[in-house]
Amino acid sequence: MNIKITHNWLLEFLDTKATPYEIQKYLSLCGPSIERVEKISDNDYSYDIEITTNRVDTASVVGIAREAATILNRFGLKSAFKPPKFLALGNIEKSLPLEIKDDENACKRILAVVMDNILIGPSKKYIKERLETAGIRSLNNVVDITNYVMTEIGYPTHVFDYDRIKTHKFIIRHAKNGEKIVTLDDKKYSLCDRDVIIDDGTGEVIDLPGIMGTKNSVVTPETKRIIFFIESNDPVAIRGSSMRYGIRTVAATINEKNPDPETAKQAFLRGVELFQKFAGAKQASNIIDIYKKVPKKQTVKTSFDFINTRVGIKIPDDQIVDILQNLEFKVSILNRKLSIEVPSFRRSDV
């Protein structure tokens, strides 16, 4: 898959004086391949970047910034990663009802919150321009925020109109053979029992999670309250449903590559922040975070000698440690042996 991002957006998470063409040259040598750089305004450029299937952590502005900060330093271009900062969320005294059940354990993690006082309108100019550069059509401030967060943080998100879901219930289950849905683009599909869906507790399907929303729960210009929702899906199920019905959304393309459930929380916090900032939103429910099986920390045991043998050149020990730490691996050393704790966003490829 390819992603498109802007240089100025990248600089929000990357401290460097490297030019766009230097970034293209050195990242393409060592990391994500930047296939094209294009000047899009007097002070901004766009990058068209190829993301390999096993590195879904780089399918975002933040992911590219992390890689760039590490790679550019290797070529004498001083750079530093600026990790995103996230607001803290807690529960509130008076919470609107929202119930979510996943008795079949179809999702690895589920995050949700109700937000009210929503003001639907056009997005800020810079958000529209960044989304359009990314190949995503701007619709309104609320929908645009979900796409903006997906592109920036690297995890798909979704919004529902709270008041159109009368039961205020999400039942996550497998579909019944022949069960019908109408997606938000007004297309009809007949599902099978390998598809995961959300129904409202009455049997009405209100979402094809991880792939595309349904017409009966979509945000409209009259929306006043929303459910901001993220689910961490089974990548095999997402791939199967997406290919079965030919629904090749950006969300499906990311979700089928097994993105990190910890990153889902970051996307959730970033989304709430932007809804508050650009849609007048206020938290109206307690936070739902269903995370039944938190993955264990993953540690790799190796040595400096093993790394140098496999790479084929002698890399100074301090540089090996520096590279790993810049990529957010935690390194312990004893007698030239390395114990390396893998960051959550690299569990699926390391």
Side-chain angles (χ1 to χ4, degrees):
M1 67 176 289
N2 280 44
I3 63 167
K4 291 184 178 181
I5 63 174
T6 69
H7 181 66
N8 287 343
W9 200 353
L10 183 66
L11 292 184
E12 292 184 8
F13 305 100
L14 175 65
D15 185 4
T16 187
K17 293 183 179 178
T19 69
Y21 294 103
E22 288 173 326
I23 292 173
Q24 178 190 30
K25 176 181 178 180
Y26 295 119
L27 259 69
S28 297
L29 281 174
C30 302
S33 176
I34 300 179
E35 297 184 342
R36 186 176 299 104
V37 175
E38 181 181 354
K39 190 169 185 178
I40 56 175
S41 69
D42 289 341
N43 65 347
D44 205 1
Y45 295 77
S46 70
Y47 298 105
D48 187 348
I49 308 171
E50 181 183 9
I51 306 300
T52 56
T53 298
N54 67 317
R55 289 299 307 277
V56 68
D57 64 289
T58 61
S60 65
V61 179
V62 170
I64 295 298
R66 184 189 295 112
E67 294 287 307
T70 304
I71 291 168
L72 293 172
N73 279 314
R74 308 269 69 79
F75 294 94
L77 295 166
K78 189 175 180 180
S79 302
F81 177 51
K82 299 188 290 186
K85 296 178 181 180
F86 302 103
L87 64 104
L89 288 178
N91 289 330
I92 58 176
E93 290 184 6
K94 190 175 181 181
S95 175
L96 288 175
L98 178 62
E99 181 181 359
I100 299 177
K101 288 187 176 182
D102 180 19
D103 293 340
E104 299 178 13
N105 296 320
C107 297
K108 290 177 286 187
R109 189 175 194 176
I110 299 166
L111 294 146
V113 66
V114 181
M115 306 195 79
D116 64 10
N117 197 46
I118 295 293
L119 301 173
I120 302 288
S123 290
K124 293 289 184 180
K125 183 172 181 287
Y126 82 92
I127 288 179
K128 291 177 65 175
E129 289 176 346
R130 287 177 176 181
L131 288 178
E132 287 166 0
T133 297
I136 300 170
R137 183 165 59 99
S138 174
L139 295 174
N140 58 55
N141 55 341
V142 170
V143 174
D144 287 358
I145 285 169
T146 65
N147 288 321
Y148 191 86
V149 170
M150 176 177 66
T151 309
E152 181 177 88
I153 305 298
Y155 212 102
T157 71
H158 190 50
V159 285
F160 300 83
D161 186 314
Y162 178 79
D163 295 299
R164 296 183 70 188
I165 302 169
K166 301 301 182 183
T167 61
H168 304 143
K169 292 182 179 180
F170 281 13
I171 309 299
I172 300 171
R173 61 172 172 82
H174 283 84
K176 301 169 187 174
N177 286 320
E179 199 162 14
K180 304 291 194 297
I181 63 167
V182 180
T183 50
L184 56 82
D185 59 354
D186 210 27
K187 294 181 180 178
K188 298 178 182 179
Y189 298 91
S190 180
L191 304 178
C192 75
D193 59 9
R194 287 172 289 170
D195 303 314
V196 175
I197 57 90
I198 302 177
D199 84 31
D200 64 358
T202 70
E204 182 177 8
V205 181
I206 54 173
D207 192 41
L208 189 61
I211 299 174
M212 184 178 282
T214 53
K215 192 175 182 180
N216 55 1
S217 62
V218 70
V219 166
T220 72
E222 289 72 43
T223 295
K224 301 300 180 187
R225 299 189 289 192
I226 63 169
I227 301 168
F228 182 45
F229 181 81
I230 300 178
E231 80 290 340
S232 182
N233 305 278
D234 175 358
V236 175
I238 291 293
R239 173 73 175 178
S241 296
S242 175
M243 297 300 290
R244 191 155 39 246
Y245 306 114
I247 309 175
R248 299 302 293 158
T249 58
V250 178
T253 304
I254 293 175
N255 280 322
E256 70 187 19
K257 292 175 175 59
N258 199 26
D260 172 34
E262 299 296 327
T263 302
K265 182 65 176 290
Q266 296 178 359
F268 184 76
L269 296 175
R270 179 62 166 150
V272 170
E273 177 188 2
L274 294 180
F275 287 126
Q276 292 174 341
K277 187 175 181 179
F278 295 125
K282 297 182 185 298
Q283 183 180 339
S285 80
N286 292 330
I287 305 299
I288 293 175
D289 186 356
I290 302 171
Y291 199 9
K292 296 178 182 178
K293 293 183 179 179
V294 179
K296 294 180 180 179
K297 291 181 180 179
Q298 182 174 313
T299 302
V300 174
K301 306 285 187 180
T302 186
S303 68
F304 292 114
D305 293 336
F306 180 88
I307 290 171
N308 287 323
T309 299
R310 290 302 184 275
V311 172
I313 60 171
K314 170 68 176 175
I315 303 173
D317 294 355
D318 60 341
Q319 286 192 26
I320 289 175
V321 173
D322 187 49
I323 290 169
L324 288 168
Q325 290 178 338
N326 284 343
L327 293 171
E328 298 190 40
F329 291 79
K330 295 179 181 178
V331 181
S332 299
I333 307 168
L334 181 62
N335 298 326
R336 290 186 54 78
K337 303 291 185 181
L338 299 169
S339 178
I340 305 167
E341 185 180 313
V342 179
S344 62
F345 55 84
R346 294 296 300 275
R347 283 194 191 113
S348 64
D349 79 284
V350 172

